[in-house]
Amino acid sequence: SGKTHTMLGGAPDVPEQVGVIPRICADIFAEKAALESKPNARSTYAVEVGYVEVYNENVNDLLADRKADSRGRPVEGDVNLTVVTAPGGGVLLQNQTLRVCDSPEAMLRFIESGNASRHVAATKMNARSSRSHAIFQIVLRETRTTVMANGSSVTGPGVSSRLNLVDLAGSERTADSGVQGKHFDQAVNINQSLTVLGRCIDALAKLSRNPKSVERPPYRESKL
Ligand SMILES: Nc1ncnc2c1ncn2[C@@H]1O[C@H](COP(=O)(O)OP(=O)(O)OP(=O)(O)O)[C@@H](O)[C@H]1O
Ligand SMILES: [Mg+2]
């Protein structure tokens, strides 16, 4: 155990307890500042974040604006996203909310607000057990200025990249965690998706050892 603790960290003011995600957020802004302040720098970088969870084989947007009811209170409930094939290959989440961040602190505030919507539950093993797989996405977009032979310059999009940081939901024997009812269904979905993830990794390992292997990773058997 300790997956969520490793990704998000413990007490934020204790340096050795800072998690993987806050460390990456700080590093990205440090590197961005270093690159942009180089003499003759020709690129600037925009940072955006997305945060989704895979819960009972649905993908939920954790950063979506909550619709308000007639009294202006936010409507409870999940905001489902559709997984579609991206034009250039890979997958895309249709209408996913991405938020622009101007500091590592802003990135962490979006994680906090997303965590408030994430599914957790008390089990015998963990008082705040993750019942969904959470995927924190960092999107970097370069804007590049190219100087032409005649001395004029053109500014346009450069390279874009996306980093997915995943906090998997716990796999446990349902007998040990003492789950029942709705929580039993959650555990079954979690275990099934982790089994598919394991089979994808196995198939990729086999393909890398033997490119002629006919086994294909079962990517489409789980939203994860
Ligand atoms: N290295 C650590 N130091 C101090 N506390 C820890 C450490 N690792 C885990 N914990 C604590 O143990 C508890 C369980 O950890 P955590 O929630 O990270 O487990 P998990 O693997 O995410 O579990 P689940 O699969 O149920 O989501 C939490 O209260 C967490 O703060
Ligand atoms: Mg967890």
Side-chain angles (χ1 to χ4, degrees), residues 1-6 17 118 123 125-126 128-131 167-172:
S1 77
K3 296 179 294 295
T4 301
H5 185 87
T6 302
Q17 283 195 21
R118 187 177 175 193
T123 67
M125 324 269 273
N126 184 347
R128 281 186 67 76
S129 179
S130 314
R131 299 293 78 197
D167 174 24
L168 291 173
S171 126
E172 70 262 305

Side-chain angles (χ1 to χ4, degrees), residues 87-101:
V91 293
L92 201 80
L93 296 171
Q94 218 162 25
N95 301 325
Q96 179 190 9
T97 309
L98 291 176
R99 304 282 188 188
V100 178
C101 295

Side-chain angles (χ1 to χ4, degrees), residues 29-42:
F29 272 92
E31 188 69 15
K32 165 175 150 69
L35 288 172
E36 288 176 348
S37 63
K38 269 191 187 161
N40 301 322
R42 299 227 184 275

